[in-house]
Structures are given as C-alpha cells and as structure tokens.
C-alpha cells in the first residue's frame, strides 16, 4: 500500500492535470502517463482498504492516532434520571403562602388591623375603604380593628389638605360592613378623625392613656381668586358638611346637634377621661385590656389558609 507521501504526490499530479484545460484535452486523447496510472491505482487501493476497515470496525493504533484505553469505563448517558413531571393542582388555593407577606401593612391586615396614621387625603381614604371591604370579604364574623392617629382633613398647623367628604366616606363604609369595628385612638384624633373614633361599635371604642381627641368645625379651603358667587356656593357646601358632621356626632355621642354646635365653636380638646364623659369613647386601653385577637399558631395559620397536613407514611 502506498504511503502518505506517495498519495500526496499523486494528488498533486491530479490537481495539475485537471485544472489546466489543455492538459485535460490531451489527457482524453493521449495514452495514460505513468504518473496518472500510478495515481489511479493508489486511489483505488486506498479506497478499497478504507471500505474494509469500515466493515471490520477496527482502528489500528499508530503514533499519531490516539485510541482510548480498553479498560476505560465511560458513563452511560442513557441511564440519566427521568425528567421532572409537574402534577396539575386544584388551583390557587394549593399555592397560598404559609406565612403572611413580609411588608408591615400586610402583616397588620392579616391580623385584621387597619391603621389610619396620616391626614385624610384621597389616597389615604381609598386605602382605608379598600381594607375595610377586603376584611369583610375575608370573614364577615370577625371584628375589624381601626387604629387612628390622624389630624383629620387638616395638617397640624391648621392648613386644609382634604375635603370633609373623606371622613364621611370612611364613616359610611364602617356602617356598610357587617363586621364590628373596634376603634382605638393612638396619639391624636382631630376633627373628622375624632368623628371616626366615636363611630366604632358601642362598647368597643378605646383610647390609649396619653392620646388626645379634639372636635372642631369644618374649615374652608383657600378660595384664591374666585368670584363672590363661587365663594357663596362653597360656603353653602361647607355648612352642609358641618350639619352632616353634627348629625353623625349626635348619633355616636348622644348629644343634641345644638350642644355639639355650641361646643365646637372653638376647638374642644379631650383627654381619655374627658372623651369617656363626652361619649366619644367607652374605655382606656391598659396592659390587661384585651382588644385584639390572640396571635395564631403555625397550625392555625395553615388551617386558615386551607392547607391540610398529610399523614406520615407508615413504616
């Protein structure tokens, strides 16, 4: 069998003959040369030997060819584990979190606590109403705990920041839900916030020992460059809101609208004991006072979420 050098020489001869048109025409008419004859014979012998090696399936070792060790054991790629199969569940109930979300408002909401800690502006009112409706949807029998620390529709310096309807919107929602609403005054409750403090379920209205409540008349927002007719229309609207507030306070405190109107001519501040006597609240929260539900255990959390523990397999 010719060696690699002989095959390379024969290939070069074929390249020279077939890539030159004159040599190709001469090759068709002239007798084969010794070089061409040797090249054809070498190619035929190499092809025949290659076919025999492919049929036998063996590779001869040489110095330039690497062959694996006969004792080398390769891993069986077909013995890999089967792909994971996702079993269909029954819906969202199977994937509820076992613990409350980590953010603080959600933790309070899971304990049925709603915290009003800002002035009554539209964004705050929207959140409080949404939480009250959600807690009623979640369970219509358990109470809702509303903690209040708000200056109402005005800031601490007296500047008006919201409409009086923000307070009445929350009050109407408190009356709409079927749950008991337990109110707790924390810090300060001024104006409309004091009205919400008194609107809780009778017997479930509280204040902390150092909290303060204050009643005042609705304030007129800045009028700006308005016409006299527009100012008169706004004055009528503020008067109507005042009458609505007096009517609500008359229902929650038991006083007549005339007495409330007279007491609110100037800001009426009340400490917890004064608020009890005026009928705004029913008691003061002490360490021994129980106003919220007990903290649930992990098993109770799972039961509330609808998760049922599977029994351990028998050994």
């Amino acid at each position: 069998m010719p060696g690699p050098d002989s095959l390379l020489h024969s290939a070069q001869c074929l390249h020279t003959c077939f890539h030159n048109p004159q040599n190709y025409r001469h090759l068709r008419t002239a007798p084969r040369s010794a070089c061409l004859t040797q090249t054809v014979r070498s190619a035929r012998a190499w092809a025949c030997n290659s076919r025999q090696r492919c049929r036998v399936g063996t590779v001869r070792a040489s110095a330039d060819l690497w062959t694996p060790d006969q004792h080398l054991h390769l891993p069986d790629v077909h013995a890999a584990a089967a792909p994971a199969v996702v079993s269909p569940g029954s819906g969202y109930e199977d994937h509820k979190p076992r613990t409350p979300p980590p953010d603080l408002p959600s933790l309070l909401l899971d304990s049925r606590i709603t915290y009003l800690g800002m002035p009554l502006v539209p964004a705050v009112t929207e959140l409080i109403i949404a939480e009250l409706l959600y807690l009623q949807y979640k369970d219509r029998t358990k109470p809702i705990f509303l903690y209040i620390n708000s200056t109402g529709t005005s800031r601490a310096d007296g500047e008006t920041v919201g409409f009086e309807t923000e307070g009445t919107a929350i009050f109407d929602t408190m009356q709409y839900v079927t749950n008991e609403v337990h109110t707790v005054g924390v810090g300060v409750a001024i104006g409309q916030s004091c009205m919400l403090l008194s609107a809780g379920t009778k017997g479930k209205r509280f204040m902390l020992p150092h909290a303060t409540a204050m009643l005042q008349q609705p304030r007129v927002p800045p009028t700006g460059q308005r016409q006299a007719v527009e100012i008169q229309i706004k004055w009528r609207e503020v008067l109507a809101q005042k009458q609505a507030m007096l009517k609500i306070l008359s229902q929650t405190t038991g006083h007549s609208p005339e007495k409330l109107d007279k007491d609110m001519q100037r800001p009426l501040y009340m400490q917890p004991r004064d608020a009890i006597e005026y009928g705004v609240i029913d008691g003061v929260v002490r360490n021994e006072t129980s106003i919220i539900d007990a903290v649930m255990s992990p098993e109770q959390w799972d039961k509330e979420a609808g998760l049922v523990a599977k029994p351990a397999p028998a050994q």
Side-chain angles (χ1 to χ4, degrees):
M1 176 180 177
D5 296 337
S6 177
L7 291 176
L8 179 61
H9 177 69
S10 301
Q12 292 175 355
C13 293
L14 286 173
H15 184 273
T16 303
C17 293
F18 287 102
H19 284 73
N20 192 337
Q22 297 179 0
N23 293 340
Y24 179 70
R25 290 193 297 269
H26 175 72
L27 182 63
R28 296 180 59 185
T29 57
R32 295 182 180 180
S33 62
C35 178
L36 180 60
T37 303
Q38 179 64 22
T39 300
V40 173
R41 290 177 180 177
S42 300
R44 290 178 178 176
W46 180 83
C48 181
N49 190 20
S50 298
R51 288 194 296 270
Q52 292 178 358
R53 286 187 298 173
C54 291
R55 286 195 299 267
V56 175
T58 59
V59 179
R60 296 182 180 180
S62 64
D64 299 333
L65 181 63
W66 178 85
T67 57
D69 189 3
Q70 297 180 357
H71 303 286
L72 179 63
H73 298 283
L74 298 178
D76 187 7
V77 296
H78 299 287
V85 179
V86 179
S87 58
S90 60
Y92 172 73
E93 298 294 333
D94 293 341
H95 304 283
K96 280 188 175 180
R98 298 178 63 90
T99 57
D103 54 298
L104 185 57
S106 297
L107 288 172
L108 294 176
L109 195 62
D110 281 330
S111 299
R112 307 189 63 82
I113 295 176
T114 299
Y115 179 60
L116 173 58
M118 296 180 64
L120 294 176
V121 295
V124 176
T125 303
E126 177 185 359
L127 178 61
I128 298 299
I129 293 176
E131 290 181 347
L132 293 175
L133 295 176
Y134 170 75
L135 292 176
Q136 178 193 228
Y137 161 77
K138 190 175 181 181
D139 194 331
R140 293 178 177 268
T141 60
K142 293 184 178 180
I144 300 173
F145 305 96
L146 177 60
Y147 285 74
I148 300 174
N149 181 20
S150 172
T151 56
T153 56
S154 60
R155 297 191 309 187
D157 57 358
E159 181 182 356
T160 303
V161 294
F163 298 101
E164 299 297 324
T165 53
E166 307 295 340
T168 54
I170 298 177
F171 171 79
D172 291 339
T173 307
M174 293 171 61
Q175 303 301 312
Y176 168 75
V177 298
T178 58
N179 308 72
E180 291 186 352
V181 180
H182 300 186
T183 55
V184 182
V186 182
V188 67
I190 297 177
Q192 296 283 345
S193 297
C194 184
M195 180 192 71
L196 296 178
L197 177 63
S198 67
T201 304
K202 291 294 184 66
K204 303 295 182 180
R205 304 173 300 177
F206 302 93
M207 287 178 63
L208 295 184
H210 299 92
T212 302
M214 190 263 279
L215 288 175
Q216 65 179 6
Q217 296 189 36
R219 296 178 178 271
V220 180
T223 57
Q225 297 180 357
R226 294 186 180 182
Q227 298 180 4
V229 176
E230 295 179 352
I231 296 177
Q232 184 181 11
I233 294 174
K234 186 61 181 179
W235 173 79
R236 291 176 182 176
E237 175 62 22
V238 174
L239 181 61
Q241 293 297 328
K242 175 184 176 181
Q243 297 299 328
M245 182 178 179
L246 292 175
K247 183 178 179 181
I248 294 173
L249 287 172
S250 177
Q251 296 175 359
T252 58
T253 62
H255 299 295
S256 62
E258 293 76 13
K259 174 178 173 51
L260 290 169
D261 188 15
K262 181 179 179 180
D263 294 339
M264 291 170 54
Q265 293 296 325
R266 292 292 182 265
L268 177 62
Y269 286 92
M270 293 173 286
Q271 300 303 316
R273 186 175 299 276
D274 302 329
I276 294 176
E277 295 178 356
Y278 203 82
V280 175
I281 62 173
D282 303 306
V284 181
V285 178
R286 304 291 181 181
N287 293 334
E288 63 276 4
T289 306
S290 177
I291 61 173
I292 62 174
D293 294 338
V295 179
M296 292 187 296
S297 63
E299 292 77 11
Q300 292 174 332
W301 275 113
D302 295 342
K303 184 178 180 181
E304 289 288 336
L307 302 176
V308 180
K310 295 183 179 178
Q315 297 181 355

